[in-house]
Amino acid sequence: MPKMRIIYTHNKIHYYLSLLNPFVLVLLSLLCSPSLSAANSAHNTFLHCLVNHYSDLSHPITSSIFTPNNALFSSVLQSYIRNLRFNTTTTRKPFLIITASHVSHVQSTIVCAQKHNKLMKIRSGGHDYEGVSYVAEEPFFLLDMFNLRAIEIDIETETAWVQAGATLGEIYHSIAQKSKIHAFPAGTCPTVGAGGHISGGGYGSLMRKYGLSIDHVIDAQIVDAQVKFLESNFIA
Ligand SMILES: *[C@@H]1O[C@H](CO)[C@@H](O)[C@H](O)[C@H]1NC(C)=O
């Protein structure tokens, strides 16, 4: 019986929140614009902040904003609810969902959330068992990362840039398309999002020999409310 030989070389992963993915932008242009007037006044200043003050004009944020009045609001919210205990009518819903498709959307969201003191939940694959990425006891909005899922693999340098919304299955598949001898140690469930998995450490079936996902993260692009990007360049 032929055996497949899997050699794990020390491939590293770059983990980032923000690289532009043209395909994502094409996809998003099909989504509906929000009805801004539908948001109640308490959230209007936050919305205006998002739309007017911080957006990169070449990547308008409006098509990424979903108020509860938007016809797609429920399906966007439900599509990454992995714990069906929280897929009920009585579960508190976000007052807004932002499906960021460009780094400027993430930046606007974080700056405005801090400025207007709004509680933000960030969701990539939605696999947290407690629903903490999309459920809260206080009023909150959701920064949904599923549109930011680009994966760029460089076999020469044995590195990959992965956006937060990419799933583990997509990462494994992308690596397999480029190489039969490379792998990345992470979890076993293919629909888990890279953002939550890696930031939580990332254990999986290669763990005994190669450690956690986070042991193989060598760089990150982080967006915060103070500066445009934090370009880290650390060696794991
Ligand atoms: C979540 O609930 C909605 C109805 O409220 C239903 O249409 C949808 O299928 C549910 N999601 C799953 C994954 O069961």
Side-chain angles (χ1 to χ4, degrees):
M1 186 181 164
K3 282 185 186 160
M4 194 197 286
R5 187 156 170 254
I6 302 290
I7 301 166
Y8 179 88
T9 57
H10 62 294
N11 66 316
K12 306 282 189 183
I13 196 157
H14 293 265
Y15 165 58
Y16 73 142
L17 297 169
S18 51
L19 194 82
L20 173 64
N21 179 349
F23 175 71
V24 162
L25 290 172
V26 169
L27 187 66
L28 257 193
S29 66
L30 302 174
L31 299 176
C32 296
S33 293
S35 160
L36 297 185
S37 59
N40 69 45
S41 60
H43 302 310
N44 263 345
T45 50
F46 176 59
L47 262 177
H48 283 291
C49 176
L50 284 173
V51 173
N52 295 329
H53 296 297
Y54 295 98
S55 260
D56 176 342
L57 289 180
S58 56
H59 303 283
I61 197 171
T62 46
S63 56
S64 294
I65 298 175
F66 293 82
T67 66
N69 293 62
N70 188 299
L72 294 176
F73 181 87
S74 291
S75 60
V76 170
L77 179 63
Q78 286 165 11
S79 55
Y80 288 89
I81 293 181
R82 302 296 187 185
N83 185 344
L84 295 185
R85 177 179 296 210
F86 302 113
N87 191 33
T88 68
T89 51
T90 53
T91 307
R92 184 193 287 274
K93 306 291 184 291
F95 63 80
L96 202 70
I97 301 173
I98 300 161
T99 59
S101 63
H102 186 261
V103 62
S104 63
H105 302 166
V106 177
Q107 188 202 2
S108 301
T109 300
I110 292 171
V111 168
C112 293
Q114 190 188 53
K115 189 174 174 188
H116 295 285
N117 200 26
K118 300 295 182 189
L119 177 59
M120 178 171 77
K121 294 276 161 177
I122 304 178
R123 180 167 73 173
S124 50
H127 270 270
D128 49 292
Y129 295 115
E130 310 91 339
V132 291
S133 67
Y134 54 87
V135 175
E137 290 179 5
E138 304 297 318
F140 71 103
F141 74 93
L142 175 60
L143 175 59
D144 220 331
M145 303 296 279
F146 67 86
N147 279 318
L148 292 170
R149 62 197 312 144
I151 298 167
E152 288 182 2
I153 292 167
D154 184 352
I155 289 296
E156 289 281 299
T157 58
E158 300 181 310
T159 61
W161 277 105
V162 173
Q163 287 189 312
T167 65
L168 300 183
E170 288 165 345
I171 295 171
Y172 299 154
H173 182 71
S174 300
I175 295 171
Q177 283 184 316
K178 291 277 171 99
S179 167
K180 298 298 171 212
I181 59 166
H182 286 81
F184 182 74
T188 51
C189 180
T191 58
V192 168
H197 188 69
I198 293 174
S199 58
Y203 63 84
S205 51
L206 291 172
M207 174 171 66
R208 283 183 186 229
K209 192 160 184 184
Y210 299 106
L212 303 173
S213 302
I214 198 78
D215 296 326
H216 300 270
V217 173
I218 54 172
D219 202 354
Q221 244 180 12
I222 299 165
V223 181
D224 80 356
Q226 307 303 318
V227 293
K228 199 158 184 160
F229 305 116
L230 291 175
E231 297 273 6
S232 72
N233 202 348
F234 52 84
I235 301 298

